[in-house]
Amino acid sequence: MSRPDDRREQPIRAAEQFEELFRSHYATVVSYARRRVPAESVDDVVAETFVVAWRRLERVPAESLPWLLAVARNVIMAQRRGARRRHALRLRLQSTAVEAVERSSAEELGPVAAALARLSEKDREALTLIAWEGLRPSQAAAVLGESPSTFRVRLHRAKRRLRRSLGEHREQDEMLAHCLRAKESHLMTQGEHPS
Amino acid sequence: MTKPTPSTDEQLFELLHEADPLAGNPPLAGESHAVGIEGERLLQHILSSEHVISRPIRQRARQRRRLVLSVTFGGGVAAATAAALVFTAGNAPSVAFAGWSASPTAPASGQLVAAEAACLARLPSSSDTERARADGTAHAPVMESLLKIAPSEWQVALSDTRGSFTMLILEAAKGQAQATCLSGTSPSSTALSVGPVGGQPSSPPEGQATAVSTGSQGVVNGNAFTYIEGRVGAAVTGITLVLAGGTRVSATVANGLFLAWWPGSQQAISEEVATSTGTSTHPLGLSNTLRIR
């Protein structure tokens, strides 16, 4: 049977539980945010994520990292929605690193990042949660709020779409390179130097 | 030169690793195993903040004019079996802690009786329990166990008056259930935390004090307050808390208990325990709050 002192120790135990949660996953949450939001927003995302965890400590499951990353993802999405509503013109500046990929040329970002950006947000998350955050598929499924079987299908399709996107990108690159070579060859025969 | 399209998962994930925005970047301070200065600052900031049990907005709106189960001890919330709850009144006007002083003041005529009545009125009711059950909160079993205690069983174990507000420690079921309540000039300016049934409380050794709740926080009509309470050995004659800002707050010491509260959310960083043979000072912190001598 618990004692009154035990009851009063609960806040202390909760603080210790939260501190352990924080120290275990702070680095991962920071990295997750850094990969997805601009540097100036990282602190806000991390702080809000852990404030939510503190307030809902009793709801944090034993496997807490997917839960935390799901919260961080929601915070980021809410941040994006708010930014869209309030500052449509500034959205480009406030967008996340991955979103920024969508608006930048493949030459600037690299073909893989550009191909990633062409995927849906959930497909992109399915791939990057595993590749970048190192989660197991079951953990990544929890982040996205999907069942493991649904996630398996999503992951399979996301990989296929990424491959297709990379292939199309490669074909476009090769076609562009072919055109440039042809133009260069034509100019050389005309006695001009390509600019 | 463009790489060939990856044909295997391994090749695909190798490409993804290379595209990691953090690949090749030196980790920030927060990314090492230690959380770094920023992380420590955030951690301490969150731990010192009020711990609010959030409720779905839809339900909150529906119950706006009813008692709102909203706040619990600032030090943290508990697991399902031993949660402590605070009930605050709804949209009552904001009040300040009028007349608060760093030392307890004598209660005005009828002040203690009014505070006790207001606190008893804040004890969980069957409708609170039903609501907690409907919300699926972890507190429902605790509230159900408290409902079994008749209001007449609750007795004032210690009172601490500062100006127009009085904080009470109420005990019931032979000390197995406890409630801490701050009450002001009206029933609406009352906040109560109540804990589950437990065993008989233990007293600390003579000349020592055991804080069983430090830096706990609550809200009355939007005004935050912080309090500390605990048990003292028979030889303890007084306890003074030193807050982070340097304010010294004298606790009420009686009946083997001590209690002090102050407006705001400042934490107590040390306490001085006075006995007939002298005074000893002990630091207080979240990690060592349970045994401060």
Side-chain angles (χ1 to χ4, degrees), chain B residues 47-82:
Chain B
L47 285 175
S48 65
S49 69
E50 180 182 294
H51 188 141
V52 177
I53 301 172
S54 59
R55 314 179 73 189
I57 291 170
R58 181 173 52 80
Q59 291 170 350
R60 211 161 42 217
R62 197 177 63 219
Q63 295 159 3
R64 189 163 288 159
R65 296 191 63 79
R66 300 164 66 185
L67 268 179
V68 179
L69 168 58
S70 62
V71 183
T72 186
F73 293 122
V77 144
T81 54

mmCIF file of all heavy atoms in Angstrom, chain B residues 47-82:
data_model
loop_
_atom_site.group_PDB
_atom_site.id
_atom_site.type_symbol
_atom_site.label_atom_id
_atom_site.label_comp_id
_atom_site.label_asym_id
_atom_site.label_seq_id
_atom_site.Cartn_x
_atom_site.Cartn_y
_atom_site.Cartn_z
ATOM 1 N N LEU B 47 11.170 22.030 -16.095
ATOM 2 C CA LEU B 47 10.909 21.422 -14.780
ATOM 3 C C LEU B 47 10.404 22.437 -13.769
ATOM 4 O O LEU B 47 9.685 22.081 -12.836
ATOM 5 C CB LEU B 47 12.184 20.751 -14.251
ATOM 6 C CG LEU B 47 12.557 19.427 -14.924
ATOM 7 C CD1 LEU B 47 13.889 18.935 -14.395
ATOM 8 C CD2 LEU B 47 11.479 18.378 -14.704
ATOM 9 N N SER B 48 10.778 23.685 -13.961
ATOM 10 C CA SER B 48 10.322 24.692 -13.000
ATOM 11 C C SER B 48 8.977 25.279 -13.398
ATOM 12 O O SER B 48 8.428 26.106 -12.689
ATOM 13 C CB SER B 48 11.350 25.820 -12.892
ATOM 14 O OG SER B 48 11.438 26.506 -14.128
ATOM 15 N N SER B 49 8.454 24.823 -14.524
ATOM 16 C CA SER B 49 7.187 25.385 -14.976
ATOM 17 C C SER B 49 6.031 24.603 -14.384
ATOM 18 O O SER B 49 6.186 23.495 -13.900
ATOM 19 C CB SER B 49 7.105 25.357 -16.503
ATOM 20 O OG SER B 49 7.005 24.021 -16.951
ATOM 21 N N GLU B 50 4.894 25.208 -14.484
ATOM 22 C CA GLU B 50 3.684 24.582 -13.975
ATOM 23 C C GLU B 50 3.354 23.361 -14.823
ATOM 24 O O GLU B 50 3.509 23.363 -16.031
ATOM 25 C CB GLU B 50 2.565 25.610 -14.107
ATOM 26 C CG GLU B 50 1.233 25.185 -13.636
ATOM 27 C CD GLU B 50 0.245 26.302 -13.897
ATOM 28 O OE1 GLU B 50 0.390 27.349 -13.267
ATOM 29 O OE2 GLU B 50 -0.627 26.128 -14.739
ATOM 30 N N HIS B 51 2.915 22.350 -14.163
ATOM 31 C CA HIS B 51 2.571 21.123 -14.878
ATOM 32 C C HIS B 51 1.065 21.105 -15.091
ATOM 33 O O HIS B 51 0.302 21.010 -14.153
ATOM 34 C CB HIS B 51 3.008 19.918 -14.055
ATOM 35 C CG HIS B 51 2.870 18.642 -14.799
ATOM 36 N ND1 HIS B 51 3.769 17.630 -14.714
ATOM 37 C CD2 HIS B 51 1.946 18.216 -15.662
ATOM 38 C CE1 HIS B 51 3.401 16.627 -15.469
ATOM 39 N NE2 HIS B 51 2.291 16.961 -16.059
ATOM 40 N N VAL B 52 0.646 21.226 -16.326
ATOM 41 C CA VAL B 52 -0.772 21.316 -16.647
ATOM 42 C C VAL B 52 -1.221 20.049 -17.341
ATOM 43 O O VAL B 52 -0.575 19.581 -18.265
ATOM 44 C CB VAL B 52 -1.040 22.517 -17.567
ATOM 45 C CG1 VAL B 52 -2.510 22.558 -17.963
ATOM 46 C CG2 VAL B 52 -0.650 23.800 -16.868
ATOM 47 N N ILE B 53 -2.303 19.504 -16.871
ATOM 48 C CA ILE B 53 -2.888 18.371 -17.574
ATOM 49 C C ILE B 53 -3.822 18.951 -18.620
ATOM 50 O O ILE B 53 -4.833 19.553 -18.305
ATOM 51 C CB ILE B 53 -3.693 17.475 -16.623
ATOM 52 C CG1 ILE B 53 -2.791 16.956 -15.510
ATOM 53 C CG2 ILE B 53 -4.319 16.323 -17.385
ATOM 54 C CD1 ILE B 53 -3.549 16.231 -14.442
ATOM 55 N N SER B 54 -3.436 18.815 -19.865
ATOM 56 C CA SER B 54 -4.262 19.411 -20.919
ATOM 57 C C SER B 54 -5.454 18.522 -21.195
ATOM 58 O O SER B 54 -5.420 17.316 -21.016
ATOM 59 C CB SER B 54 -3.436 19.590 -22.186
ATOM 60 O OG SER B 54 -2.940 18.354 -22.597
ATOM 61 N N ARG B 55 -6.511 19.134 -21.611
ATOM 62 C CA ARG B 55 -7.720 18.397 -21.931
ATOM 63 C C ARG B 55 -8.114 18.735 -23.351
ATOM 64 O O ARG B 55 -7.775 19.786 -23.865
ATOM 65 C CB ARG B 55 -8.850 18.803 -20.988
ATOM 66 C CG ARG B 55 -8.439 18.845 -19.555
ATOM 67 C CD ARG B 55 -9.577 19.257 -18.697
ATOM 68 N NE ARG B 55 -10.554 18.188 -18.583
ATOM 69 C CZ ARG B 55 -11.724 18.361 -18.027
ATOM 70 N NH1 ARG B 55 -12.092 19.532 -17.622
ATOM 71 N NH2 ARG B 55 -12.543 17.357 -17.918
ATOM 72 N N PRO B 56 -8.871 17.865 -23.976
ATOM 73 C CA PRO B 56 -9.327 18.174 -25.327
ATOM 74 C C PRO B 56 -10.115 19.472 -25.343
ATOM 75 O O PRO B 56 -10.914 19.738 -24.443
ATOM 76 C CB PRO B 56 -10.229 16.981 -25.677
ATOM 77 C CG PRO B 56 -9.755 15.886 -24.780
ATOM 78 C CD PRO B 56 -9.299 16.561 -23.519
ATOM 79 N N ILE B 57 -9.888 20.284 -26.368
ATOM 80 C CA ILE B 57 -10.523 21.594 -26.448
ATOM 81 C C ILE B 57 -12.041 21.473 -26.410
ATOM 82 O O ILE B 57 -12.722 22.231 -25.755
ATOM 83 C CB ILE B 57 -10.088 22.312 -27.729
ATOM 84 C CG1 ILE B 57 -8.612 22.683 -27.592
ATOM 85 C CG2 ILE B 57 -10.926 23.550 -27.990
ATOM 86 C CD1 ILE B 57 -7.992 23.190 -28.858
ATOM 87 N N ARG B 58 -12.560 20.459 -27.088
ATOM 88 C CA ARG B 58 -14.011 20.307 -27.154
ATOM 89 C C ARG B 58 -14.600 20.135 -25.754
ATOM 90 O O ARG B 58 -15.577 20.748 -25.382
ATOM 91 C CB ARG B 58 -14.330 19.088 -28.024
ATOM 92 C CG ARG B 58 -15.793 18.806 -28.225
ATOM 93 C CD ARG B 58 -15.954 17.685 -29.243
ATOM 94 N NE ARG B 58 -15.149 16.513 -28.911
ATOM 95 C CZ ARG B 58 -15.490 15.602 -28.012
ATOM 96 N NH1 ARG B 58 -16.610 15.745 -27.349
ATOM 97 N NH2 ARG B 58 -14.724 14.563 -27.765
ATOM 98 N N GLN B 59 -13.946 19.307 -24.962
ATOM 99 C CA GLN B 59 -14.461 19.072 -23.622
ATOM 100 C C GLN B 59 -14.262 20.292 -22.744
ATOM 101 O O GLN B 59 -15.075 20.627 -21.915
ATOM 102 C CB GLN B 59 -13.748 17.886 -23.005
ATOM 103 C CG GLN B 59 -14.141 16.595 -23.695
ATOM 104 C CD GLN B 59 -13.279 15.447 -23.274
ATOM 105 O OE1 GLN B 59 -12.278 15.646 -22.607
ATOM 106 N NE2 GLN B 59 -13.651 14.264 -23.674
ATOM 107 N N ARG B 60 -13.143 20.985 -22.951
ATOM 108 C CA ARG B 60 -12.861 22.158 -22.146
ATOM 109 C C ARG B 60 -13.948 23.199 -22.363
ATOM 110 O O ARG B 60 -14.442 23.808 -21.442
ATOM 111 C CB ARG B 60 -11.490 22.710 -22.522
ATOM 112 C CG ARG B 60 -10.800 23.367 -21.382
ATOM 113 C CD ARG B 60 -9.330 23.493 -21.609
ATOM 114 N NE ARG B 60 -8.980 23.892 -22.933
ATOM 115 C CZ ARG B 60 -7.924 23.425 -23.579
ATOM 116 N NH1 ARG B 60 -7.152 22.542 -23.030
ATOM 117 N NH2 ARG B 60 -7.635 23.842 -24.780
ATOM 118 N N ALA B 61 -14.349 23.369 -23.631
ATOM 119 C CA ALA B 61 -15.353 24.373 -23.941
ATOM 120 C C ALA B 61 -16.686 24.011 -23.303
ATOM 121 O O ALA B 61 -17.386 24.856 -22.763
ATOM 122 C CB ALA B 61 -15.509 24.492 -25.445
ATOM 123 N N ARG B 62 -16.992 22.717 -23.325
ATOM 124 C CA ARG B 62 -18.269 22.283 -22.798
ATOM 125 C C ARG B 62 -18.361 22.524 -21.299
ATOM 126 O O ARG B 62 -19.399 22.787 -20.760
ATOM 127 C CB ARG B 62 -18.426 20.794 -23.105
ATOM 128 C CG ARG B 62 -19.849 20.294 -22.984
ATOM 129 C CD ARG B 62 -19.914 18.840 -23.364
ATOM 130 N NE ARG B 62 -19.142 17.991 -22.474
ATOM 131 C CZ ARG B 62 -18.423 16.959 -22.884
ATOM 132 N NH1 ARG B 62 -18.351 16.659 -24.151
ATOM 133 N NH2 ARG B 62 -17.744 16.233 -22.020
ATOM 134 N N GLN B 63 -17.222 22.461 -20.628
ATOM 135 C CA GLN B 63 -17.233 22.539 -19.169
ATOM 136 C C GLN B 63 -16.729 23.867 -18.658
ATOM 137 O O GLN B 63 -16.302 23.985 -17.539
ATOM 138 C CB GLN B 63 -16.355 21.422 -18.605
ATOM 139 C CG GLN B 63 -16.924 20.058 -18.922
ATOM 140 C CD GLN B 63 -15.887 18.989 -18.843
ATOM 141 O OE1 GLN B 63 -14.747 19.268 -18.496
ATOM 142 N NE2 GLN B 63 -16.246 17.785 -19.186
ATOM 143 N N ARG B 64 -16.779 24.859 -19.523
ATOM 144 C CA ARG B 64 -16.148 26.134 -19.177
ATOM 145 C C ARG B 64 -16.642 26.700 -17.862
ATOM 146 O O ARG B 64 -15.911 27.272 -17.107
ATOM 147 C CB ARG B 64 -16.379 27.120 -20.316
ATOM 148 C CG ARG B 64 -15.598 28.385 -20.157
ATOM 149 C CD ARG B 64 -15.541 29.110 -21.463
ATOM 150 N NE ARG B 64 -14.677 28.418 -22.383
ATOM 151 C CZ ARG B 64 -14.725 28.564 -23.701
ATOM 152 N NH1 ARG B 64 -15.595 29.356 -24.240
ATOM 153 N NH2 ARG B 64 -13.899 27.922 -24.477
ATOM 154 N N ARG B 65 -17.906 26.541 -17.588
ATOM 155 C CA ARG B 65 -18.446 27.169 -16.401
ATOM 156 C C ARG B 65 -18.461 26.229 -15.204
ATOM 157 O O ARG B 65 -18.993 26.548 -14.162
ATOM 158 C CB ARG B 65 -19.851 27.688 -16.692
ATOM 159 C CG ARG B 65 -19.856 28.786 -17.743
ATOM 160 C CD ARG B 65 -21.199 29.462 -17.815
ATOM 161 N NE ARG B 65 -21.531 30.133 -16.570
ATOM 162 C CZ ARG B 65 -21.046 31.308 -16.206
ATOM 163 N NH1 ARG B 65 -20.198 31.932 -16.969
ATOM 164 N NH2 ARG B 65 -21.394 31.852 -15.060
ATOM 165 N N ARG B 66 -17.878 25.078 -15.405
ATOM 166 C CA ARG B 66 -17.826 24.140 -14.289
ATOM 167 C C ARG B 66 -16.420 24.107 -13.724
ATOM 168 O O ARG B 66 -15.506 24.721 -14.252
ATOM 169 C CB ARG B 66 -18.232 22.756 -14.786
ATOM 170 C CG ARG B 66 -19.632 22.742 -15.363
ATOM 171 C CD ARG B 66 -19.854 21.522 -16.177
ATOM 172 N NE ARG B 66 -19.822 20.300 -15.353
ATOM 173 C CZ ARG B 66 -19.902 19.100 -15.892
ATOM 174 N NH1 ARG B 66 -20.011 18.950 -17.193
ATOM 175 N NH2 ARG B 66 -19.855 18.041 -15.129
ATOM 176 N N LEU B 67 -16.280 23.403 -12.674
ATOM 177 C CA LEU B 67 -14.946 23.220 -12.114
ATOM 178 C C LEU B 67 -14.032 22.620 -13.155
ATOM 179 O O LEU B 67 -14.412 21.687 -13.838
ATOM 180 C CB LEU B 67 -15.014 22.258 -10.931
ATOM 181 C CG LEU B 67 -15.214 22.894 -9.580
ATOM 182 C CD1 LEU B 67 -15.288 21.815 -8.530
ATOM 183 C CD2 LEU B 67 -14.102 23.836 -9.277
ATOM 184 N N VAL B 68 -12.864 23.151 -13.259
ATOM 185 C CA VAL B 68 -11.945 22.689 -14.286
ATOM 186 C C VAL B 68 -10.790 21.933 -13.637
ATOM 187 O O VAL B 68 -10.087 22.469 -12.801
ATOM 188 C CB VAL B 68 -11.389 23.874 -15.096
ATOM 189 C CG1 VAL B 68 -10.405 23.363 -16.142
ATOM 190 C CG2 VAL B 68 -12.528 24.611 -15.777
ATOM 191 N N LEU B 69 -10.649 20.700 -14.024
ATOM 192 C CA LEU B 69 -9.507 19.918 -13.574
ATOM 193 C C LEU B 69 -8.340 20.311 -14.461
ATOM 194 O O LEU B 69 -8.271 19.929 -15.612
ATOM 195 C CB LEU B 69 -9.816 18.438 -13.746
ATOM 196 C CG LEU B 69 -8.668 17.455 -13.597
ATOM 197 C CD1 LEU B 69 -8.041 17.612 -12.240
ATOM 198 C CD2 LEU B 69 -9.161 16.058 -13.802
ATOM 199 N N SER B 70 -7.482 21.126 -13.944
ATOM 200 C CA SER B 70 -6.505 21.680 -14.881
ATOM 201 C C SER B 70 -5.074 21.643 -14.396
ATOM 202 O O SER B 70 -4.168 21.549 -15.202
ATOM 203 C CB SER B 70 -6.867 23.129 -15.197
ATOM 204 O OG SER B 70 -6.827 23.905 -14.034
ATOM 205 N N VAL B 71 -4.841 21.734 -13.157
ATOM 206 C CA VAL B 71 -3.475 21.963 -12.724
ATOM 207 C C VAL B 71 -3.079 20.953 -11.672
ATOM 208 O O VAL B 71 -3.885 20.571 -10.845
ATOM 209 C CB VAL B 71 -3.336 23.374 -12.114
ATOM 210 C CG1 VAL B 71 -1.896 23.641 -11.726
ATOM 211 C CG2 VAL B 71 -3.824 24.407 -13.094
ATOM 212 N N THR B 72 -1.885 20.553 -11.724
ATOM 213 C CA THR B 72 -1.398 19.696 -10.655
ATOM 214 C C THR B 72 -0.072 20.218 -10.183
ATOM 215 O O THR B 72 0.360 21.275 -10.593
ATOM 216 C CB THR B 72 -1.321 18.247 -11.118
ATOM 217 O OG1 THR B 72 -0.973 17.460 -9.997
ATOM 218 C CG2 THR B 72 -0.285 18.074 -12.188
ATOM 219 N N PHE B 73 0.572 19.476 -9.323
ATOM 220 C CA PHE B 73 1.816 19.953 -8.765
ATOM 221 C C PHE B 73 2.801 20.317 -9.856
ATOM 222 O O PHE B 73 2.962 19.607 -10.820
ATOM 223 C CB PHE B 73 2.440 18.872 -7.896
ATOM 224 C CG PHE B 73 1.650 18.588 -6.665
ATOM 225 C CD1 PHE B 73 1.186 17.318 -6.419
ATOM 226 C CD2 PHE B 73 1.350 19.582 -5.777
ATOM 227 C CE1 PHE B 73 0.463 17.037 -5.288
ATOM 228 C CE2 PHE B 73 0.627 19.316 -4.644
ATOM 229 C CZ PHE B 73 0.179 18.037 -4.396
ATOM 230 N N GLY B 74 3.501 21.437 -9.625
ATOM 231 C CA GLY B 74 4.461 21.878 -10.617
ATOM 232 C C GLY B 74 5.612 20.924 -10.769
ATOM 233 O O GLY B 74 6.232 20.861 -11.811
ATOM 234 N N GLY B 75 5.936 20.197 -9.754
ATOM 235 C CA GLY B 75 7.053 19.274 -9.854
ATOM 236 C C GLY B 75 6.799 18.127 -10.791
ATOM 237 O O GLY B 75 7.709 17.429 -11.175
ATOM 238 N N GLY B 76 5.596 17.910 -11.193
ATOM 239 C CA GLY B 76 5.352 16.831 -12.123
ATOM 240 C C GLY B 76 4.059 16.135 -11.830
ATOM 241 O O GLY B 76 3.456 16.345 -10.811
ATOM 242 N N VAL B 77 3.658 15.311 -12.750
ATOM 243 C CA VAL B 77 2.437 14.584 -12.503
ATOM 244 C C VAL B 77 2.756 13.163 -12.402
ATOM 245 O O VAL B 77 3.722 12.660 -12.794
ATOM 246 C CB VAL B 77 1.471 14.736 -13.618
ATOM 247 C CG1 VAL B 77 0.724 13.469 -13.837
ATOM 248 C CG2 VAL B 77 0.484 15.726 -13.217
ATOM 249 N N ALA B 78 1.903 12.561 -11.907
ATOM 250 C CA ALA B 78 2.109 11.272 -11.478
ATOM 251 C C ALA B 78 1.544 10.214 -12.337
ATOM 252 O O ALA B 78 0.851 10.474 -13.262
ATOM 253 C CB ALA B 78 1.347 11.318 -10.296
ATOM 254 N N ALA B 79 1.895 9.052 -11.967
ATOM 255 C CA ALA B 79 1.362 7.893 -12.675
ATOM 256 C C ALA B 79 -0.085 7.683 -12.260
ATOM 257 O O ALA B 79 -0.593 8.347 -11.379
ATOM 258 C CB ALA B 79 2.187 6.687 -12.302
ATOM 259 N N ALA B 80 -0.687 6.727 -12.908
ATOM 260 C CA ALA B 80 -2.123 6.559 -12.723
ATOM 261 C C ALA B 80 -2.512 6.264 -11.294
ATOM 262 O O ALA B 80 -3.555 6.679 -10.833
ATOM 263 C CB ALA B 80 -2.594 5.425 -13.619
ATOM 264 N N THR B 81 -1.689 5.585 -10.580
ATOM 265 C CA THR B 81 -2.105 5.128 -9.254
ATOM 266 C C THR B 81 -1.939 6.167 -8.168
ATOM 267 O O THR B 81 -2.469 6.000 -7.092
ATOM 268 C CB THR B 81 -1.283 3.907 -8.849
ATOM 269 O OG1 THR B 81 0.088 4.253 -8.967
ATOM 270 C CG2 THR B 81 -1.598 2.730 -9.730
ATOM 271 N N ALA B 82 -1.205 7.199 -8.408
ATOM 272 C CA ALA B 82 -0.936 8.114 -7.303
ATOM 273 C C ALA B 82 -0.911 9.551 -7.757
ATOM 274 O O ALA B 82 -0.113 10.339 -7.310
ATOM 275 C CB ALA B 82 0.386 7.757 -6.636
#
